[in-house]
Amino acid sequence: MEKYDIVIVGGGPAGLAAAISARKSGIEKILILERDHELGGILNQCIHNGFGLHTFKEELTGPEYAYRFMQQVFDEKIEYKLNTMVMDISAERIVTAMNREEGMFQIEAGAIILAMGCRERPRGALNIPGYRPAGIFSAGTAQRLVNIEGYMPGREVVILGSGDIGLIMARRMTLEGAKVKVVAELMPYSGGLKRNIVQCLDDFGIPLKLSHTVVDIEGAEHLSAVTIAEVGKDGKPIKGTEERYTCDTLLLSCGLIPENELSRSAGVEMNPVTNGPVVNESLETSIPGVFACGNVLHVHDLVDFVSQEAGLAGENAAAFVKNGCKDLSDEKGIDIVATEGARYTVPTTVNVDRMNDLLTVRFRVGAVFQDSYVSVYFNDERVMHTKKKIMAPGEMEQVILKKDKLKSFDGLNKITVKIEHE
Amino acid sequence: METRELTCIGCPMGCQITVELDKGEVVSVTGNTCARGDIYARKEVTNPTRIVTSTIVIKGGDKPRVSCKTANDIPKGKIFEVMKDIDAAEVDAPVKIGDVLVKDVAGTGVDVIATRNIEKV
């Protein structure tokens, strides 16, 4: 069986950044397995700009951002296989994959980095009543059709869900001559970034209807109309608020789900809130030597943070391999708990001996908070208290823990992240 | 004195910026967390501009479309004129990131450049 020090599953932004940082940490034998016919992942179809301000201090489009990392992978001569599907990962770190040239094959990995990304929630998972005609697409599928293939899915568009891809596609379809009639969002707040509401909807006068959902889909062969209605606090449509829109296209932008079939079958412990693996400060899952980063771990809104996180996973996988494929310490560490407004944290534990001088703990809030505070408690003592003008579920938040602070706190056994009004 | 509340589009942070104006002149910009926010806010209340990104038909390449962007921001009111020129353009492979695909698009003085490499096949 062929052996590699580190096998990376996925050649998108997370996989690329993980590979580069593992190489910079001195690991020679690295292999990226990518199922698409090119590296770069979803960034290749994200032709809009706004990527890379944190990483490169300039504003890049998705393909440009991806290429910066691809170039480093080429320069470092990191091996990769395209059109290659990983079928299975075992707890013993045996990777089973297949492609057309080699058929089915197995690789023994010193460490594995999970970087499979996420996928869109499809219509079947949304329980929308009505017919099932052609003309209903996930926003990302439409994005691929328009930006990569050069096809327009339709001319008169309704969008359900205000996730970033839906907002970006509202603008994109408008620029290409389509009429985007409305964006309906079930929740009372947008799931996307504020800047995208400004530059994708407001710029073009596209209405955003919060607390609205699709209650009927019409069309025998092809979509002909959808009906949207306001929903009450119970999430149920309110009678009499229905509005019918004739349209030939319905785009769905209703959330992203980390793609963790491989992690689950390997026996990786999962976090039910993020739908991603539970990880420690090293981004290591419950299986020693299996690390996770990027959208497979938790859905990010900034690729810059994916790259940062993946860089850390690459470093830690390298440290694991260099330590004879053993963890530097077997201690699980201190629990990091999200409560009162904070929905989850990544990571969920921190071992002070293994952590870097600084540890970024990322989290999301469960509702919109104005003029509130992000607080961090060590046991029962509040040690951080930062005012934020606005926090929304669509935007990831973070706190940074300092190693010396954790070390010098006597008897520290629990770190809590919460949102407080004062 | 007039105040305007803006959401910065400079990056995905989306800072809430308050601009104070006096007779159309910017008096103060607050709420931004970087210099780009200041520039954006001043422009947005006087002469709003946008980067336009799209795709252009490419012949003889390994992909049917090449993604592109305006090399700089263009006046917001000219977005659709810029799109008209972009949609009418056709280029030949190969193309490298940064290659000029449309010169002086819609008379804005700004070029449209490629944002990905397309190999010739």
Side-chain angles (χ1 to χ4, degrees), chain A residues 38 47-50 53 57 59 61 63-64 67 147-148 150 172 175-176 193-195 198-199 203 302, chain B residues 7 9-12 14 16 36 50-51 53-55 63-65 67 69 76 79 83 87 115-117:
Chain A
E38 58 185 344
I47 63 164
H48 53 282
N49 64 327
L53 265 176
K57 309 290 171 231
E59 202 172 356
T61 63
E64 292 172 297
Y67 195 72
N147 293 346
I148 305 277
R172 186 76 189 106
L175 288 179
E176 291 295 354
L193 297 168
K194 284 171 292 202
R195 74 187 295 251
V198 173
Q199 61 179 357
D203 269 9
L302 262 71
Chain B
T7 301
I9 61 167
C11 85
Q16 293 294 319
R36 275 168 196 274
R50 297 289 184 266
I51 298 264
T53 65
S54 188
T55 62
K63 308 253 168 4
R65 298 266 159 167
S67 56
K69 68 177 180 185
K76 195 173 147 185
I79 290 176
M83 277 304 296
D87 280 341
T115 57
R116 73 170 299 171
N117 298 336

Side-chain angles (χ1 to χ4, degrees), chain A residues 390-406:
Chain A
I390 188 147
M391 287 180 279
E395 319 215 354
M396 193 179 276
E397 300 291 338
Q398 64 177 47
V399 291
I400 293 173
L401 300 180
K402 292 187 178 139
K403 183 174 187 150
D404 53 354
K405 291 270 162 55
L406 268 70

Side-chain angles (χ1 to χ4, degrees), chain B residues 17-116:
Chain B
I17 303 181
T18 306
V19 185
E20 283 188 328
L21 291 143
D22 191 16
K23 298 185 192 89
E25 294 283 314
V26 177
V27 179
S28 75
V29 177
T30 50
N32 54 308
T33 48
C34 77
R36 275 168 196 274
D38 189 86
I39 296 166
Y40 168 77
R42 285 170 197 276
K43 261 192 184 172
E44 192 65 13
V45 295
T46 51
N47 170 34
T49 59
R50 297 289 184 266
I51 298 264
V52 175
T53 65
S54 188
T55 62
I56 286 179
V57 173
I58 186 160
K59 286 189 164 166
D62 61 352
K63 308 253 168 4
R65 298 266 159 167
V66 54
S67 56
C68 64
K69 68 177 180 185
T70 53
N72 287 301
D73 41 357
I74 55 112
K76 195 173 147 185
K78 288 222 164 191
I79 290 176
F80 283 97
E81 283 173 61
V82 166
M83 277 304 296
K84 217 172 154 191
D85 278 12
I86 288 176
D87 280 341
E90 258 184 30
V91 297
D92 292 308
V95 157
K96 290 250 170 278
I97 291 173
D99 284 359
V100 174
L101 304 180
V102 181
K103 268 198 147 341
D104 183 20
V105 66
T108 55
V110 174
D111 295 338
V112 174
I113 59 173
T115 57
R116 73 170 299 171

